[in-house]
Amino acid sequence: MQNYCDLSGKLCLIFSKVSYRDYPLLIQIAILVSILALCVITFTLSFIFYNRTKKQRYKRKADEAESLILDELNEHLLVYDSITDMPQDELNSTVRKLNELKNKNAIFKEVLVKLLIYYKHNLTGNISRLITSAYFSLRLNEITLSKLKSSFWFIKAQGLKELQAIHDYDSTESIQLLLKNKNIDVRVEAYATLLKLQTHLSLNFLKNEKEDLSNWHQILLFDAITKSEYTEIPDFSYFLASQNKTIVILSIKLLLHYKQFKAIPELIKLLAHRDEKIRNETIYTLGALNAEDAEQKLISIYPTERNLNKSQILLALGAIASGNALNFLRDKFLQADHYTILKSATAAIMSHPVALKEKILESLNDIDEEQRAIIKHFEDPLIKLHGIR
Amino acid sequence: MEYVKVKEVIRFTFEHGIFYYGISIMGTYLMLIIFSIIEIIKYQRKNSFISYESLLTSQHTPGISVIAPAYNEGEIIRNGVHTLLSLNYPKFEVIIVNDGSTDDSLQQLIDEYELVEVNFAYHEEIVTQPVKKIYKSTNPVYAKLMVIDKENGKSKADASNAGINAASYPLFLCTDVDCILHKDTLLKMVKPFVEEKTKVIATGAVIRISNSCEVENGFLKKVRAPKQFLPLFQELEYIRAFLMGRMAWSRINGLMLVSGGLGLFDKDIVLKAGGYSHESFGEDLELVTRMRIYMEDNKQKYKVKYIPESMCWTEVPSTLSVYSRQRTRWAKGLAQTLWFHKKVFLNPKYKVFGLVSFPYWVFFEWLAPILEFGGIIYYIYIIITGQITWSYAIALLIFIYSFSVMITIISVLWDEITGMKYQKKSEVLKLCAAAVIEPLVYHPLVLFFSIRGNWFFLTGQKLHWGIMTRSGFKKKNNKLSDYEQRKL
C-alpha cells in the first residue's frame, strides 16, 4: 500500500511538473489523439442514446398515428364494398377526418401514405378503388409526386415505387421525365412504373437503353411487363437485334413467357451470336418452346460450344423430345468426358416418351458403373433434378 | 561504449517502429470506418425502395442449395432442419450432411421427415470421405430436403464438400444446423448476385450471438445481449468485425473472409478452386483466398460482397476452455493460410487483393498480436531495468486504450443505425460498458490465444478436441462437435 502511494505520488508529480510542450513530438501526438478519441467517445455515446430516444419517440408517435388512422379507415371507409355504396356525407366526413389527421404532423402524413399503399397493394376490386379514391381526395399523390423532384436518386425511386403501388395514371408525364435520368436504378423504376400504368404496352425504352441491365433490373422489368394486363403484346423478336446484350436476353425471356413460336427462326439465327450468355439463353428457350426445327442447328453447333452450352443443348434436345436426336444423345451419353455432359445427356434421354427412352436404354449394354448410377438416379421418382440450368 | 550505442539504436528503432506501426494500424482502422460508412449508406439507400416480392415470385431467381453439416446434433437437428426448410425463397433445397454422427441424429431425421434411401448418383468432384447413403423424403412437404450420410471426415470442410458435390443449384449457402437464420436470408444474400453487373463469387452477412436470445422451436423470438462476460465481449468483436471491417473491405472489393457460419457462394467457382481445404484450420478464409486467386489467375472480373444486415444467430463459446481452442485454431488457420498463399503478398498481379487485403492480413491481423506481445516483453524489460519514463509510458497506454474504445463505440453506434437489434437501452449501455473494459479484460485473452495459435503453427503441434458442453438456448450437455468449434 505504501509502495502504491509512493508510485502514484511520483506519477502525479511527473505529470504536474512537465508541460505539454516539454514532451517529445510522438508523445504530444499521442496525447492529442487520446483527447480527440475521448471527445469522439463522449459524443458517440451521447448520440447513441439521443438517437435511441428519438427513434423510440418516433415509433411511439407512429404507432399512435397508425392506430388512429386504422380506426378511421376500418370504421368508416373499409366497411363499404364500393365507393358507390358509400353515402357522400360519410365519404366527405371520413376524408375530412383523415385530412385532419394528415395535417397533424409529418409522421401522420407518412403513416397515412404507408397504410393506404399497404392496403392498395393487398386488396383488390372495389375496396382497392375506394382506397385509391381516398388517396387522391387526401391529395397524397402530391407528396408522392414531389418525391420525383428530389435531388436524391433513391427518393425518386421511392416515389416511383409508390406510384406503381397506387396506380396513379395521371402521373405518366412526371414519370416520362425520369426515363432519361442518369441513374440506371431510377430509369429502370421509371420504365417499370410506366409499364404498370400504361394501358397499352410501349417498349420504346428497350430500343433506347444503352446501359447494361443487371439481372435484378431484368427481373423488375419482366415482372412489370408480365403482370400488367395488356390487350396487345408486342413481338419481342423485334428486340433481338438490339446492340444491348441484356435487352436481347430480356426479350428472349419475354418471348418464352408469351410463347411467341413465330420467333423461332429469329432465335435459331441467334445461335450464331458471339455472346455466350445470349446463346445459352437462346438454346434454353428453343428447348422450352419445343422448337423441333432447331434440333439440327443445335446439333451442328454442339462441337464448337463450351461445356455449359453443350449441357444446355443436350437439355434442350431433351425438352424438345422429338426422338430425332436420340442417337446423338446416346453418343454423347457414351462419350461424355465431363460429368455435367453425362448428367445432361442422361436427363435428356430420360425426358423422352417412355417407348423411345426404353429403346435407347435397352441398347446401352456395355456401360460402366457411373453411367448405370446416373440412369438409376433419373429413374428414381423422389429425385427431381433441378439446377442444371 | 559501442555496446551502449548499439543498444540505443535498437531501442530507438524499436520504440519508433512500434509507434509508427501503431499509428498506421489506427490510420487503417479510420480508413475502414470511412469506407464502411460509405458502403452502409449506399446499401441503405439502395434498399430504401426495394421490394423483394419480384425476386420471390420470379422464375429467373437463381436456385440455392443450403448446405448444413451436422455431427452429433441430436438435440437440435429436427428444429434446425425445420428452420432451414422454412426459409423464404422460391427455389432452394436443403442438404444436411450427417458427418458420421455417433448419436441418433440420422434416425431422428429419418423418422421426422419420412426419409427413404434414394439412388442419388453422387459424383465426387471434390474428394471426401465415402458417402454411405443419400435420403429424400417421401412426403412432398419436405421435397426440398436431402440428407447425406457419410463417414466422419474430422472436419467441417469435408462434410461441406460432400454437400457441394451433391448440390443441384448454381449457388450454395454454407451454414450449420444450429445457426438460426432470418427467414429472408436467401433473398437478401442473393441480391448482390443478381444486382451486380460484375460476377459476384461470394456474399456474407452479419452473424450475431444467440447465447442469451429467446429461441422457440429453432426460431428466434427475442434478441438479447449476452449475459455472460465472454459472449458479451465476443458480441462486440462481431459487431466491430462485421459492420466495420467487412463492409469496408466489401466497398473496395478486398474482402478475404466470408464466415463459415453464413456464406453464399458461386458453386462453379468453388469447384474450380477445389472446394474447402480439409487441412486448413481456417477453411472459410482459405476458401475465399483460393477463389480470389483462381479468378485473378484466370483474369476474370469478380466481386466478394457483404451485406450489413444481421441474418444469422449462432452460439459462441461461453467457457474459457472452448474459447481457447476456438481462438487457437483461428490463429493457426490464419498463419497457415497466409503462409500457404504467400505468393499473393504484395504481388501486383493480384491487384487490390495482393497489394492491400493480403498485406493488411499479414501486417495487422497476423503480425499485430506478435508485435504487441513483443511490446509487452519490452515494457517489462524496461520497467525491470528502470529505463522507463512513466509519463511517456502512461500517455502511450492511454493513447492506445482510448483509440480502441473509440473504434468499438463507433461500431456500436453503427449497429444501432443499421438495425437497432436490442430493444432496451440497458442492453446497449451494457455493450458500451463492455467496450470500455474490453481492452483491459478481454483483449489480453485474444492476444494470448493468438500467440498460442502461432506457436502451434510454428512448432507444428496438433490441436486436440475434447468433449465440451454448451449452454445457451439448447438443452444442457449438448456436445460441440469438432468442426462446430471451428465454425464458432
Side-chain angles (χ1 to χ4, degrees), chain A residues 14 24 34 47 52-53 121 154 158 161 185 211-212 214-216 227 339 370 377 380 382 386-387, chain B residues 45-46 48-49 53 57 116 119 121 123 136 168-169 194-195 197 391-392 399 413 416 422-423 425:
Chain A
I14 290 162
S34 307
F47 187 76
R52 215 159 228 274
T53 312
H121 186 71
F154 60 96
Q158 283 172 16
K161 268 274 181 294
D185 288 307
E211 197 175 333
D212 278 355
S214 67
N215 285 337
W216 172 253
K227 283 184 182 162
Y339 190 71
E370 191 174 50
H377 175 107
D380 197 314
L382 289 178
H386 27 230
Chain B
R45 286 182 169 185
K46 266 210 152 182
S48 65
F49 61 94
E53 206 180 293
T57 54
V116 291
N119 292 313
H123 177 67
K136 290 275 292 176
S168 307
Y169 289 121
V194 292
E195 186 183 55
K197 288 170 190 166
S391 57
Y392 296 178
F399 163 57
L413 167 69
E416 284 282 290
Y422 299 117
Q423 284 176 8
K425 270 186 197 166

Side-chain angles (χ1 to χ4, degrees), chain A residues 11 14-15 23-24 26-27 29-31 33-34 37-38 40-41 44-45 47-49 51-53 55-56 121 152-154 157-158 161 184-185 189 211-216 219-220 222-223 227 253 257 339 370 373-374 376-377 380 382-383 386-389, chain B residues 16 19-20 23 45-46 48-51 53-55 57-61 93 116 118-121 123 136-138 168-170 191 193-195 197 390-392 394-396 398-399 402-403 405-406 409-410 412-413 416-417 420 422-425 428-429 432:
Chain A
L11 288 178
I14 290 162
F15 280 109
Y23 285 114
L26 298 189
I27 303 299
I29 295 171
I31 292 170
V33 174
S34 307
L38 286 171
V40 173
I41 292 170
T44 312
L45 281 172
F47 187 76
I48 287 174
F49 290 99
N51 181 53
R52 215 159 228 274
T53 312
K55 281 193 175 170
Q56 277 170 348
H121 186 71
F152 293 107
W153 70 270
F154 60 96
Q158 283 172 16
K161 268 274 181 294
I184 181 86
D185 288 307
E189 283 300 340
E211 197 175 333
D212 278 355
L213 302 174
S214 67
N215 285 337
W216 172 253
I219 287 172
L220 286 179
F222 185 92
D223 190 59
K227 283 184 182 162
K253 287 174 185 169
H257 179 83
Y339 190 71
E370 191 174 50
I374 195 89
K376 274 190 173 180
H377 175 107
D380 197 314
L382 289 178
I383 305 172
H386 27 230
I388 288 183
R389 182 179 151 75
Chain B
H16 281 72
F19 183 82
Y20 289 115
I23 290 282
R45 286 182 169 185
K46 266 210 152 182
S48 65
F49 61 94
I50 291 298
S51 152
E53 206 180 293
S54 310
L55 205 54
T57 54
S58 172
Q59 49 187 301
H60 301 111
T61 310
E93 63 177 350
V116 291
V118 289
N119 292 313
F120 193 95
H123 177 67
K136 290 275 292 176
S137 177
T138 51
S168 307
Y169 289 121
K191 191 152 172 276
F193 282 89
V194 292
E195 186 183 55
K197 288 170 190 166
W390 279 106
S391 57
Y392 296 178
I394 290 168
L396 286 172
I398 292 172
F399 163 57
S402 56
F403 192 86
V405 173
M406 180 185 82
I409 296 284
I410 292 175
V412 174
L413 167 69
E416 284 282 290
I417 289 172
M420 222 188 228
Y422 299 117
Q423 284 176 8
K424 291 181 186 169
K425 270 186 197 166
V428 184
L429 195 64
C432 294

Side-chain angles (χ1 to χ4, degrees), chain B residues 383-395:
Chain B
I383 290 170
I384 292 170
T385 53
Q387 299 176 62
I388 195 162
T389 313
W390 279 106
S391 57
Y392 296 178
I394 290 168

Side-chain angles (χ1 to χ4, degrees), chain A residues 125-216:
Chain A
N126 289 331
I127 292 191
S128 170
R129 279 190 280 278
L130 201 65
I131 288 161
T132 310
S133 171
Y135 191 84
F136 285 102
S137 304
L138 291 164
R139 299 169 76 176
L140 293 175
N141 55 326
E142 287 172 12
I143 300 173
T144 301
L145 286 172
S146 70
K147 287 184 179 175
L148 303 190
K149 289 173 190 156
S150 167
S151 52
F152 293 107
W153 70 270
F154 60 96
I155 304 274
K156 285 190 174 96
Q158 283 172 16
L160 289 164
K161 268 274 181 294
E162 285 175 16
L163 291 176
Q164 282 177 42
I166 212 70
H167 293 183
D168 184 355
Y169 297 101
D170 299 330
S171 62
T172 48
E173 210 171 288
S174 310
I175 300 165
Q176 296 274 3
L177 297 173
L178 296 176
L179 292 179
K180 286 186 180 166
N181 193 282
K182 63 179 180 188
N183 186 300
I184 181 86
D185 288 307
V186 174
R187 276 204 312 277
V188 169
E189 283 300 340
Y191 299 150
T193 314
L194 266 191
L195 288 168
K196 284 184 180 172
L197 300 182
Q198 280 173 348
T199 44
H200 69 283
L201 184 56
S202 166
L203 295 171
N204 284 337
F205 70 86
L206 283 181
K207 281 191 291 182
N208 301 332
E209 183 58 61
K210 297 280 181 286
E211 197 175 333
D212 278 355
L213 302 174
S214 67
N215 285 337
W216 172 253

Side-chain angles (χ1 to χ4, degrees), chain A residues 349 352-364 379:
Chain A
I349 293 170
H352 276 70
V354 181
L356 293 170
K357 180 174 75 180
E358 292 298 328
K359 204 174 140 191
I360 286 291
L361 291 179
E362 277 167 22
S363 70
L364 300 171
E379 281 176 339

Side-chain angles (χ1 to χ4, degrees), chain A residues 10 30 34 71 86 94 105-106 113 137 179 245 250 253 270 282 285-286 295 307 359:
Chain A
K10 276 178 193 170
S34 307
D71 283 350
M86 196 172 180
T94 307
N105 56 45
V113 172
S137 304
L179 292 179
K245 292 172 195 169
L250 176 63
K253 287 174 185 169
L270 264 192
T282 310
T285 306
L286 285 168
E295 278 183 314
N307 275 347
K359 204 174 140 191

